Amino acid sequence: MTHSDASPDTGSEQARREEELLERVLRSYDACADPRLKELLQGLVRHLHAFIRDVRLTEEEWQKAIEFLTRVGRITDGKRQEFVLLSDTLGASMQTITVNNQAYGDATEATVFGPFFVEDAPLIRLGGDMAGEASGEPCWVEGTVRDTDGNAVPGARIEVWEADADGFYDVQYGDGRTAGRAHLFTGPDGEYRFWAITPTPYPIPHDGPVGEMLTAAGRSPMRASHLHFMVIAEGYRTLVTHIFVRGDELLESDAVFGVRKSLIKDFERLPAGTPPPDGRALDGTWSKVRFDIVLAPSGAAPQEEPPH
Ligand code: BEZ
Ligand code: FE
């Protein structure tokens, strides 16, 4: 077979040159003294070269990618982390979480942390209100924290945070308010309960290069409605997760791939006038949800071999 100068030669000489370059780059990292760093760098080189060769990346496309990453860097500052959004929207955050929170018995699945957690959220009592001044329909949340043998975990620290009915976290208002976040501790039987607001959908920040990427790809920046949890207890793997609302039409298209089937819960909507569990005076509708949490022991070895 003959080729003109402009047509790609994907035959043996071309493949040999590409392979030779890859091997040379790999060898240049052979002397790396830190074995883990060596594994990471050589793995990255292998996969990056495979990608370039696989899609037959053009020089113009590579230049565009570099310009895109430069813009991701420029918009990133102490408050805006566009690289994390990029990782989230490429599914890399969720895959890293999946790899590092190996399935263990019926332990509750983990999902993305997101950028809106704040340390030192107010302490509420069991049955207290984490909503504060956040707008939204009241939602009663209750459940237990147990280990994988079914034993209660008393004194577990539960952090909860969520966006208000307008789709904003308190920190996004920039006026120093604290609303829609709190922490509480499980009682002697591992039980917990609190008032929140019924979760509503909201977009991830999409006014930067990651938003442009989503638009170009025909993807939505919307996250499925959710309520964030982080559960911390001595001797257990810290769980970072959310619960999602069954029936939410965004469950299949969550912008950051955070939805797990096991985390979709029934939020029962109750008509105005239905007495709430704690006798709180409410004028309008409210909802309730149950979320029973199971913690894996810390340092838990996976029960199945991960795929290679
Ligand atoms: C969040 O759920 O808060 C979130 C997660 C990933 C990106 C942006 C927001
Ligand atoms: Fe969120």
Side-chain angles (χ1 to χ4, degrees):
M1 191 168 41
T2 57
H3 294 282
S4 74
D5 279 356
S7 69
D9 176 358
T10 49
S12 58
E13 172 55 18
Q14 178 65 24
R16 190 200 60 75
R17 289 184 195 179
E18 291 172 12
E19 205 58 36
E20 187 274 332
L21 173 65
L22 169 63
E23 292 305 322
R24 201 147 40 91
V25 180
L26 286 172
R27 274 200 312 277
S28 77
Y29 290 98
D30 271 349
C32 180
D34 177 337
R36 177 63 175 157
L37 182 61
K38 178 176 162 180
E39 182 182 9
L40 293 175
L41 288 170
Q42 289 187 328
L44 177 63
V45 165
R46 223 175 267 117
H47 287 276
L48 182 60
H49 283 239
F51 165 73
I52 293 167
R53 297 171 72 190
D54 185 28
V55 302
R56 308 309 298 170
L57 192 70
T58 69
E59 287 165 276
E60 196 187 15
E61 286 163 347
W62 188 229
Q63 186 56 37
K64 273 198 163 176
I66 286 168
E67 281 162 16
F68 174 78
L69 289 173
T70 304
R71 289 198 294 127
V72 170
R74 287 216 175 104
I75 201 175
T76 296
D77 60 20
K79 287 199 176 131
R80 172 79 177 251
Q81 233 306 355
E82 196 78 357
F83 280 108
V84 173
L85 287 181
L86 182 60
S87 161
D88 293 342
T89 50
L90 291 174
S93 304
M94 200 56 197
Q95 191 65 279
T96 306
I97 289 161
T98 306
V99 165
N100 286 280
N101 290 268
Q102 302 249 352
Y104 187 94
D106 59 348
T108 303
E109 290 187 81
T111 187
V112 282
F113 194 45
F116 299 122
F117 172 74
V118 173
E119 301 278 356
D120 303 323
L123 170 67
I124 56 169
R125 61 178 174 79
L126 283 176
D129 183 12
M130 63 76 89
E133 297 299 304
S135 59
E137 180 191 66
C139 175
W140 178 254
V141 186
E142 64 181 10
T144 53
V145 178
R146 299 190 176 277
D147 66 18
T148 49
D149 293 325
N151 302 305
V153 181
R157 181 180 176 120
I158 303 181
E159 301 273 355
V160 282
W161 67 104
E162 68 177 323
D164 65 17
D166 296 314
F168 295 109
Y169 285 82
D170 54 0
V171 288
Q172 293 178 286
Y173 288 99
D175 57 6
R177 73 179 75 177
T178 297
R181 66 179 71 247
H183 75 277
L184 67 160
F185 292 91
T186 52
D189 298 319
E191 78 281 12
Y192 75 87
R193 51 190 174 273
F194 61 91
W195 281 104
I197 50 182
T198 310
T200 45
Y202 67 86
I204 63 168
H206 58 107
D207 56 345
V210 170
E212 284 171 34
M213 179 187 80
L214 292 177
T215 303
R219 287 189 56 202
S220 160
M222 295 302 289
R223 289 228 56 204
S225 311
H226 60 273
L227 168 60
H228 292 259
F229 280 74
M230 176 159 66
V231 187
I232 304 162
E234 182 81 30
Y236 296 93
R237 186 161 80 190
T238 293
L239 172 68
V240 174
T241 196
H242 332 325
I243 51 173
F244 297 90
V245 180
R246 194 177 312 286
D248 182 345
E249 59 189 24
L250 294 166
L251 288 172
E252 293 293 324
S253 60
D254 183 50
V256 302
F257 309 98
V259 180
R260 301 281 200 197
K261 231 183 188 161
S262 66
L263 300 174
I264 301 171
K265 302 294 169 192
D266 295 307
F267 283 71
E268 190 183 345
R269 306 298 293 278
L270 295 141
T274 313
D278 62 349
R280 176 182 175 182
L282 292 175
D283 312 325
T285 59
W286 57 284
S287 68
K288 67 175 178 183
V289 64
R290 182 166 188 93
F291 177 36
D292 290 319
I293 296 165
V294 179
L295 297 181
S298 53
Q303 289 176 321
E304 288 163 26
E305 270 296 291
H308 288 288

